Amino acid sequence: MRDRMLTADVPLGPFEGAKITVYSAKGKNTRLHVRSECGQLRTTNVVTTEVPLSADVVDRFCSGCADWGPRVRPTSGLGIFMGALGGVGLLHQLQAYVEPDEDVYWTQDEVRVAAELLRSARDTEDGDGRWEARREADELQERVLSLWRHAAGSLHRVQAVIAHFPWLTDWARPKLLAKEGYLETLRAQAALFVEPAGLVVAAAAAELGTPPLPADDHAFAVLGNRSQISTGLSALWRRWQYAAESGWEGPASRAFRRYDLVEGVRSNKKGHTEALEGAGRLIQSWEDEARAAAAATDSTPTVWVTASLPEDTEEPSRGDTRDVLDGLDRWTLGVVLTWTVTADWSRRTFTLKVPTLVADRLLASSNTLACERGAEVAPGEAVPDAHPGSVRPGVFDDTAVFDRQPVTFAHLRALRNYSYAADQLYIVFSTSGGAEVLPLQAIEKRIEQGWVGVIVASASDLPESLLSPWIKEVAPTPVAPTPDADEGPHLGHDSAGRDDRFGTDLGLAAGAQAAVRWAHGERAKEHSLRLLAMARGVPDLRTLDTGRSGTLSVAVWEGLLTPGPLDLTPFRPPSTDRWRGGSGLPLGVLGPVQIYATNADPAFEGKGHSPFCRHTRDRGLAHSDDLLSVSDLLARDDWDWCSKCGGYSARRLTDTQISYYRAAHQLHDIAGQLDDERTYRVPVEPEALRKQLEELADWEPGGHENCNWEGSWLWREVVSDLRRRAERKRLNTAP
């Protein structure tokens, strides 16, 4: 049996009875499969059934499907639970690091001999017959330390899973005890390589102040003048102190630092030997001072210290195997190995009993361990359970919204650690903010600030009845383009009056198609469209920025924002400048359209860029970007926009806004045709213009029929004026 297989004895807790879909051949006791395409499902008559999850159902899973458990939505409570069990999760980790590996094994005597050799032969020179033995001892030391770190990481992951799903505690206890016992064996072996006295001396060295430096000593004349000598000796002191406080090895391991002083000086230069000997004397005096400071204090471990490792600050990947002890320097690792009394790996907390000098350094230093004085804890004393936020039905989408429970930081930690689809958008509800759409990182920050709310749904939970038809419509089977297909953008004035597709590339439908084009693979296309559908309801798209890439891909940003700036010429006031003059049309429904730019303040250094400009490092919006409206753009004419991208991107237009955008450009195009002062004009067909003006006069935004809309009176005035001009043109051209 594989070590990651879900078996019937695994407690399902509150998820027992959850409805799952299984597939099987016809028959009463046939094997069940969680995938219809499972290789072990060898039948053409597949039966699809919805059954309650139970031990009996799990017992009937085929061996392939039992590796991952039932297929459910990855951001549901059951999906998170299965993600925590499968793969390299709990079921695998409980089988790992419980006993010595027969392929990687050493005896206690081998470890003891190697540790003694390293302590006694650090200054051994080549040729005495012990160099090879020392090299092998060094390798064994690193192997023992590495295995201890990996075993500690495995135990941490196991305890973290059990903290999120506490009903697994009794079931996992026998194997957990085996892991803890083996980890303690490894810790004791690794501690043999650590010199406790060396740790105390290192703590004393860290507290030493800069000693007087003999810059006037003639032994260092080869270094240059007095200032150069002083600089060199100061650098030597800093390097020695850093080396002395960073480990547990004796003085011989730092004696080579004397060569740092004469770095860059030729060995045959006069005074080189004297400087090297002087550096050796200085280092020896510092070593003596550190040992004297250590000897002046009691080296008996009497002080209780509680030390905690920091929580992960970066998002872990699926099957993350990072070392839980990453970031600890060699001295701190030695302290943990030597003086740990109890360890709670799930909370990354240690109870240490250390000498006074070591305690002072732990409490005063700003290393990765957060330390405070603690009370005595007996070696076998149980630590009360304090893991709120276990993942149960009702936290995510396993129950009706009415029964949903407030989400906590622990819930989000489980979601992030055990669901491959965690990094996406979520609909949340709170009494303070109502219903909102937020990325996972934003929810985490709010919870840290005391926010109380529930998760209503994630993008992957959106109703299939709505999403599937839309996805099929947006991403149909590719069809070869026709030879006469015009693939160019439809933005210019010349096409406004004759092209029904003018402006469509600025709309929501074109945005969905852009999101599909940027995504690779069917699953990525569906995921991008789900995120796009969720993000379209966000009032300010900058709130979707999480400070790092990953939540929203370029495909989603392409679906939310226009590929370039809007052509607002029809809405500018009339002017004698044929290139900049407009028709003075009202903005109407286009006025509140959002505009996003990296810099919208002309007084601030730097041009404004679109989120898609090549001058911006990352595509997409950021919190620091500026938000304007189309009305703001026309309020001034001193914008300092990038000439490559146009300076900004607009939020995708609705159908009503596209309709008005096209109508305004058609009206502006007609005004240009009727302008007698233009040098170059296309031939005018007054009757065709009159019909177009009749259609444009009746334009009304959807939902506002037979009523005035913002700017409607000005629109009608412009249309009436163009009608009169078209009529005069018709009369003047009549035979």
Side-chain angles (χ1 to χ4, degrees):
M1 183 178 67
R2 292 188 289 270
D3 61 2
R4 65 182 188 182
M5 183 182 293
L6 178 64
T7 55
D9 65 312
V10 178
L12 301 173
F15 296 109
E16 185 169 2
K19 296 293 184 179
I20 62 170
T21 300
V22 295
Y23 308 90
S24 65
K26 290 184 177 180
K28 184 176 181 180
N29 296 315
T30 58
R31 286 289 180 183
L32 300 180
H33 308 267
V34 299
R35 297 174 296 125
S36 59
E37 64 274 14
C38 178
Q40 299 187 35
L41 182 57
R42 301 182 182 93
T43 180
T44 57
N45 298 320
V46 178
V47 178
T48 303
T49 313
E50 189 177 72
V51 298
L53 182 62
S54 65
D56 293 337
V57 170
V58 172
D59 195 40
R60 291 178 58 191
F61 282 164
C62 75
S63 59
C65 294
D67 277 347
W68 292 96
R71 176 175 288 185
V72 293
R73 292 188 306 278
T75 55
S76 66
L78 179 57
I80 296 171
F81 179 50
M82 290 299 147
L85 294 179
V88 292
L90 179 67
L91 299 180
H92 170 76
Q93 297 299 334
L94 283 176
Q95 307 295 331
Y97 304 105
V98 294
E99 59 184 359
D101 190 334
E102 60 182 12
D103 296 327
V104 184
Y105 182 69
W106 48 79
T107 65
Q108 186 74 14
D109 289 339
E110 289 174 335
V111 174
R112 185 176 64 256
V113 170
E116 292 174 353
L117 176 61
L118 290 178
R119 281 197 294 269
S120 62
R122 295 189 184 278
D123 56 350
T124 300
E125 300 293 338
D126 292 341
D128 66 352
R130 304 186 68 187
W131 177 255
E132 182 65 22
R134 180 186 172 184
R135 183 186 64 80
E136 294 178 354
D138 278 328
E139 291 180 355
L140 181 57
Q141 173 183 251
E142 295 306 317
R143 289 162 59 194
V144 173
L145 285 172
S146 176
L147 189 59
W148 170 69
R149 294 172 70 119
H150 282 87
S154 177
L155 181 60
H156 161 66
R157 287 190 287 275
V158 167
Q159 291 184 341
V161 171
I162 294 174
H164 288 300
F165 310 102
W167 56 87
L168 297 171
T169 302
D170 294 338
W171 168 78
R173 182 172 287 113
K175 294 179 180 179
L176 196 60
L177 292 175
K179 290 181 70 69
E180 291 174 346
Y182 183 54
L183 179 62
E184 176 57 26
T185 298
L186 292 175
R187 187 204 64 79
Q189 290 180 347
L192 292 176
F193 293 100
V194 181
E195 301 178 32
L199 295 173
V200 179
V201 171
E207 300 299 323
L208 294 179
T210 304
L213 301 174
D216 296 325
D217 193 332
H218 293 292
F220 305 115
V222 71
L223 301 179
N225 57 35
R226 190 179 190 281
S227 175
Q228 292 172 321
I229 295 174
S230 178
T231 300
L233 294 178
S234 296
L236 178 64
W237 159 257
R238 290 193 300 270
R239 292 181 180 181
W240 172 86
Q241 187 178 43
Y242 178 78
E245 70 183 22
S246 300
W248 58 75
E249 295 82 359
S253 65
R254 297 182 287 275
F256 74 94
R257 286 294 175 186
R258 64 185 184 274
Y259 290 97
D260 293 343
L261 185 64
V262 294
E263 185 178 2
V265 179
R266 298 194 316 272
S267 60
N268 61 351
K269 187 174 182 179
K270 183 179 180 180
H272 179 277
T273 302
E274 291 79 359
L276 196 60
E277 292 174 351
R281 292 192 298 271
L282 270 180
I283 290 177
Q284 186 58 48
S285 68
W286 298 336
E287 294 283 358
D288 293 341
E289 186 178 358
R291 287 199 300 272
T297 62
D298 186 5
S299 60
T300 305
T302 57
V303 182
W304 291 90
V305 174
T306 301
S308 301
L309 292 167
E311 291 290 337
D312 290 333
T313 57
E314 296 185 0
E315 176 187 353
S317 60
R318 176 82 172 154
D320 180 45
T321 56
R322 286 179 297 172
D323 193 337
V324 70
L325 298 169
D326 274 349
L328 296 187
D329 58 33
R330 196 171 179 83
W331 181 84
T332 308
L333 277 176
V335 170
V336 172
L337 282 169
T338 305
W339 290 305
T340 295
V341 177
T342 61
D344 185 345
W345 290 98
S346 66
R347 293 186 215 130
R348 312 161 78 96
T349 301
F350 310 98
T351 301
L352 310 173
K353 190 177 183 182
V354 298
T356 303
L357 202 58
V358 174
D360 292 341
R361 180 179 175 184
L362 287 173
L363 296 170
S365 63
S366 57
N367 55 28
T368 52
L369 277 180
C371 300
E372 60 181 12
R373 291 186 182 273
E376 178 176 354
V377 177
E381 183 176 337
V383 180
D385 187 12
H387 294 288
S390 60
V391 179
R392 297 175 177 272
V395 176
F396 297 99
D397 66 337
D398 302 279
T399 62
V401 176
F402 180 82
D403 297 323
R404 204 63 52 85
Q405 299 297 314
V407 65
T408 66
F409 193 83
H411 295 147
L412 298 185
R413 176 62 61 179
L415 173 65
R416 184 178 293 286
N417 287 347
Y418 310 125
S419 175
Y420 65 85
D423 205 2
Q424 56 175 296
L425 299 180
Y426 297 83
I427 300 176
V428 301
F429 177 80
S430 66
T431 56
S432 58
E436 302 173 274
V437 175
L438 297 173
L440 185 60
Q441 294 85 352
I443 303 175
E444 290 172 335
K445 291 179 180 178
R446 290 196 180 187
I447 289 177
E448 289 177 347
Q449 299 169 358
W451 179 82
V452 178
V454 299
I455 291 181
V456 178
S458 67
S460 59
D461 301 325
L462 295 177
E464 196 69 18
S465 59
L466 289 178
L467 269 294
S468 290
W470 181 52
I471 292 173
K472 292 178 181 178
E473 176 186 352
V474 173
T477 303
V479 179
T482 58
D484 57 345
D486 180 12
E487 298 180 359
H490 307 280
L491 296 173
H493 290 167
D494 293 339
S495 63
R498 300 183 296 274
D499 193 343
D500 292 338
R501 294 180 296 166
F502 175 81
T504 54
D505 59 335
L506 304 173
L508 297 175
Q513 294 169 355
V516 169
R517 286 197 303 270
W518 275 91
H520 301 286
E522 295 303 318
R523 180 173 295 181
K525 291 178 181 179
E526 179 180 347
H527 183 64
S528 295
L529 289 177
R530 286 178 175 274
L531 292 176
L532 176 61
M534 188 83 85
R536 280 178 170 175
V538 177
D540 185 351
L541 295 179
R542 296 176 299 176
T543 60
L544 301 180
D545 171 46
T546 61
R548 62 184 179 193
S549 60
T551 301
L552 294 188
S553 63
V554 176
V556 181
W557 288 119
E558 288 279 357
L560 292 170
L561 300 171
T562 60
L566 303 177
D567 183 357
L568 300 177
T569 304
F571 311 102
R572 301 186 186 280
S575 170
T576 55
D577 186 349
R578 59 167 297 191
W579 300 110
R580 295 182 58 83
S583 299
L585 296 177
L587 284 173
V589 293
L590 295 176
V593 171
Q594 293 178 344
I595 301 296
Y596 294 94
T598 59
N599 176 25
D601 186 359
F604 191 80
E605 183 179 2
K607 293 182 178 293
H609 298 277
S610 158
F612 306 119
C613 182
R614 65 182 183 182
H615 292 109
T616 57
R617 181 173 300 177
D618 297 320
R619 292 196 169 195
L621 292 179
H623 275 295
S624 58
D625 288 344
D626 292 330
L627 172 61
L628 306 170
S629 67
V630 171
S631 298
D632 297 327
L633 290 182
L634 294 183
R636 55 193 300 178
D637 58 2
D638 60 343
W639 304 107
D640 189 14
W641 299 131
C642 170
S643 60
K644 300 293 185 182
C645 66
Y648 66 86
S649 286
R651 195 158 183 166
R652 291 277 178 177
L653 305 183
T654 64
D655 291 343
T656 298
Q657 290 168 339
I658 291 178
S659 174
Y660 184 66
Y661 183 77
R662 182 187 297 119
H665 276 275
Q666 290 176 346
L667 207 58
H668 181 63
D669 183 63
I670 293 173
Q673 296 181 52
L674 296 175
D675 187 357
D676 294 332
E677 296 183 0
R678 283 198 175 186
T679 306
Y680 303 100
R681 301 191 307 273
V682 297
V684 177
E685 299 179 6
E687 185 62 25
L689 294 182
R690 186 180 63 80
K691 292 182 179 180
Q692 291 184 40
L693 289 171
E694 288 180 356
E695 295 176 357
L696 293 173
D698 297 331
W699 187 92
E700 291 178 331
H704 295 79
E705 291 79 4
N706 301 320
C707 64
N708 291 329
W709 45 275
E710 184 178 356
S712 59
W713 64 272
L714 182 56
W715 176 269
R716 297 189 183 99
E717 286 286 332
V718 173
V719 172
S720 298
D721 177 66
L722 292 177
R723 275 178 165 178
R724 290 190 293 268
R725 291 166 59 185
E727 182 64 20
R728 286 197 301 269
K729 182 72 70 173
R730 186 184 68 81
L731 294 176
N732 291 337
T733 57

